[in-house]
Every structure is written in C-alpha cells, then in structure tokens.
Amino acid sequence: MIGKKPGLGPDNNEATSTIGENSVLEGTFEVTGNLRVDGKFTGKLRVTETLVVGKNGLVDAKVTARNAVIAGTIKGDLNSSEKITLQSGSRLEGEMVTSRLVIEEGDSFQGSCNTSQTTGGARKTDNTFNQD
C-alpha cells in the first residue's frame, strides 16, 4: 500500500506518504514531505522532510532525507542534513552522515558515521557498534 495519510508525520500535521507493512517497492523514489516505511524498499530514496522506518520496515537503499527516525532496518548509506535518530531495536548497516545523531540503548550500528555541527568541522568515526 502506498498512500498519503494525515497525522502520520513525525511532529507536524503535514500529509505523509506511506509504504505499508505488506508492500515491496524497488527503484528510485522521491518524496516531497514525510515518508513512513513499514514494508520493504530497495533502491534509491530521497525524502525532503522526515523518513520514518517502522519496527517492521526494511530499507535497502542509498537514502537522503532532512531527518530520519529509524526503528526498523536500513542497509545502505544514510545522509541526513539535520538529525538521525536510531531507536531501540533498530539496525543500520552503512555510512551515516548527519549534523546531529541520537542513538538509543539497544540498537545495532555497523559502519561509519560522519557528524558535524557545521559543514567545515566534520568528525568521522569508523567502527562497529553493537549496543545491547
């Protein structure tokens, strides 16, 4: 199921596109606004606002978004211009690039992370991080 539903956005009343739990999509997907993934997406994904990956969601893609809130799984690079939140039970395999990073207890991260408050002073960390 793909659709637009009001009220599913992270912190606003803006309409959100959704990829439902039993849906599988492949290709290049560009979303103006927010996107919630509860199914599976493979390919390349660009979201102008916030990407939310639900607990059962799987994104196997190169992802660009303003913000990302991950409760499920991302396999691939995640580039966020503002903030990435890895919620408890989430899994990320790949490179993260963001200004702000929030990691809750009980998630799994394997890859590298590049964080910076400004565009000039990036800090890069390469390691495997498993928090249980």
Side-chain angles (χ1 to χ4, degrees), residues 33-91:
N34 303 312
L35 173 65
R36 180 176 178 96
V37 178
D38 290 311
K40 181 179 179 181
F41 177 81
T42 303
K44 186 174 179 181
L45 184 59
R46 186 172 89 68
V47 181
T48 62
E49 296 299 326
T50 299
L51 169 67
V52 177
V53 179
K55 286 193 178 283
N56 297 319
L58 170 62
V59 175
D60 188 354
K62 181 173 179 153
V63 179
T64 303
R66 176 177 286 172
N67 295 293
V69 179
I70 313 303
T73 301
I74 290 188
K75 295 180 180 181
D77 297 340
L78 175 57
N79 188 329
S80 168
S81 60
E82 290 186 11
K83 182 168 87 170
I84 295 173
T85 302
L86 299 178
Q87 295 183 335
S88 180
S90 67
R91 181 175 176 91

Side-chain angles (χ1 to χ4, degrees), residues 9-126:
D11 293 323
N12 57 38
N13 293 325
E14 189 176 319
T16 298
S17 297
T18 60
I19 298 175
E21 191 168 340
N22 295 317
S23 299
V24 178
L25 288 174
E26 186 175 334
T28 300
F29 201 36
E30 295 191 28
V31 176
T32 301
N34 303 312
L35 173 65
R36 180 176 178 96
V37 178
D38 290 311
K40 181 179 179 181
F41 177 81
T42 303
K44 186 174 179 181
L45 184 59
R46 186 172 89 68
V47 181
T48 62
E49 296 299 326
T50 299
L51 169 67
V52 177
V53 179
K55 286 193 178 283
N56 297 319
L58 170 62
V59 175
D60 188 354
K62 181 173 179 153
V63 179
T64 303
R66 176 177 286 172
N67 295 293
V69 179
I70 313 303
T73 301
I74 290 188
K75 295 180 180 181
D77 297 340
L78 175 57
N79 188 329
S80 168
S81 60
E82 290 186 11
K83 182 168 87 170
I84 295 173
T85 302
L86 299 178
Q87 295 183 335
S88 180
S90 67
R91 181 175 176 91
L92 191 138
E93 299 174 13
E95 180 178 357
M96 286 189 290
V97 177
T98 187
S99 295
R100 295 184 299 161
L101 177 63
V102 177
I103 301 177
E104 294 182 2
E105 186 175 341
D107 69 331
S108 175
F109 165 59
Q110 295 178 349
S112 63
C113 181
N114 187 343
T115 59
S116 172
Q117 292 295 331
T118 62
T119 57
R123 177 181 71 214
K124 186 164 184 165
T125 304
D126 287 313

